[in-house]
Amino acid sequence: EVQLVESGGGLVQPGGSLRLSCEASGFAFSDYYMDWVRQAPGKGMEWVGRITYKLESYSTEYAASVRGRFTISRDDSKNSVYLQMNSLNTEDTAVYYCARDDHGSYSAWGQGALVTVSS
Amino acid sequence: VVMTQSPLFLPVTLGQPASISCRSSQSLVHSDGNTYLNWFQQRPGQSPRRLIYEVSNRDSGVPDRFSGSGSGTDFTLKISRVEAEDVGFYYCMQGSHWPPYTFGQGTKLEI
């Protein structure tokens, strides 16, 4: 069974940092791009960023709203992808999902990690 | 690519059909010939679940009362007979033009 499990969410003050983790199981993790998508309270879905696989040099792309503040990385030996979030502001408050990127679709999503940015 | 769903709120009666429209600001036909239009369901308190990919392909375990259709810029998700477990939000998402993949605003289905 394909599973994605996020961890690391929590409450952080504006200007602070947080690192989310997403551990995958049930599929060949190293063969897939992995994305992060977020959902602000009561709002729709917003793509945050993506990391490719080894064959494509683990290249990354980010939404304009997080570029320069967020960094995605992965460790294929641990079947895990990470989202390092710096300089957080209140607009970053959201549930963050990792998702398996099937080149045009997301066939699997994690359960989500709530990040609350507040003083 | 901007994805526009309608309606945004869909009150339905159990056992009756329901339909959600999704329009894209440009054609979703990819250079490889495929059309990467997806539908996701998000039940209350849950993460999204893919129902339909490439316009009309149902995911494993998705009831056959769900169907997708359309082409180019106009797409539809239909539920032939709504059941109580169908309550939640429905999102279309295009994966033909990247970056980024983009979602519709979501349609709230209520009984």
Side-chain angles (χ1 to χ4, degrees), chain A residues 9-30:
Chain A
L11 174 64
V12 60
Q13 292 189 337
S17 298
L18 206 60
R19 188 196 195 208
L20 303 182
S21 300
C22 169
E23 184 172 358
S25 60
F27 65 98
F29 177 76
S30 60

Side-chain angles (χ1 to χ4, degrees), chain A residues 15-116:
Chain A
S17 298
L18 206 60
R19 188 196 195 208
L20 303 182
S21 300
C22 169
E23 184 172 358
S25 60
F27 65 98
F29 177 76
S30 60
D31 289 347
Y32 287 86
Y33 293 3
M34 294 298 296
D35 290 31
W36 288 92
V37 178
R38 68 183 179 182
Q39 185 174 32
K43 302 295 184 183
M45 303 292 177
E46 179 189 16
W47 174 78
V48 172
R50 164 199 285 182
I51 187 165
T52 66
Y53 39 49
K54 184 177 181 180
L55 195 63
E56 297 185 8
S57 304
Y58 302 121
S59 61
T60 53
E61 290 277 356
Y62 300 94
S65 58
V66 307
R67 195 174 297 132
R69 300 187 299 122
F70 290 13
T71 302
I72 300 174
S73 60
R74 65 190 293 165
D75 185 339
D76 290 344
S77 69
K78 296 182 179 179
N79 286 347
S80 293
V81 60
Y82 308 98
L83 180 64
Q84 176 67 44
M85 301 181 291
N86 299 329
S87 303
L88 286 161
N89 57 61
T90 55
E91 294 180 348
D92 297 316
T93 294
V95 175
Y96 286 75
Y97 298 99
C98 63
R100 190 179 83 174
D101 189 327
D102 290 80
H103 293 284
S105 189
Y106 295 136
S107 61
W109 297 67
Q111 86 284 0
L114 176 61
V115 173
T116 303

Side-chain angles (χ1 to χ4, degrees), chain B residues 1-104:
Chain B
V1 177
V2 178
M3 305 297 289
T4 303
Q5 288 183 229
S6 62
L8 300 185
F9 179 67
L10 183 57
V12 296
T13 302
L14 287 174
Q16 293 301 302
S19 179
I20 301 170
S21 171
C22 177
R23 291 186 172 177
S24 57
S25 60
Q26 57 186 276
S27 173
L28 297 186
V29 179
H30 192 271
S31 57
D32 66 8
N34 295 318
T35 300
Y36 297 102
L37 187 283
N38 307 270
W39 289 97
F40 296 92
Q41 176 193 61
Q42 188 176 32
R43 290 171 170 156
Q46 295 187 13
S47 56
R49 164 202 183 195
R50 193 178 69 180
L51 300 174
I52 303 284
Y53 61 96
E54 292 180 32
V55 181
S56 59
N57 295 287
R58 242 186 338 268
D59 271 275
S60 174
V62 174
D64 61 8
R65 64 178 181 275
F66 289 94
S67 64
S69 63
S71 63
T73 60
D74 290 338
F75 304 93
T76 303
L77 175 70
K78 292 183 178 179
I79 309 173
S80 58
R81 295 173 306 278
V82 172
E83 298 190 5
E85 65 178 17
D86 300 335
V87 165
F89 280 87
Y90 291 81
Y91 296 92
C92 61
M93 186 199 89
Q94 69 83 22
S96 293
H97 301 283
W98 190 90
Y101 297 159
T102 47
F103 294 86

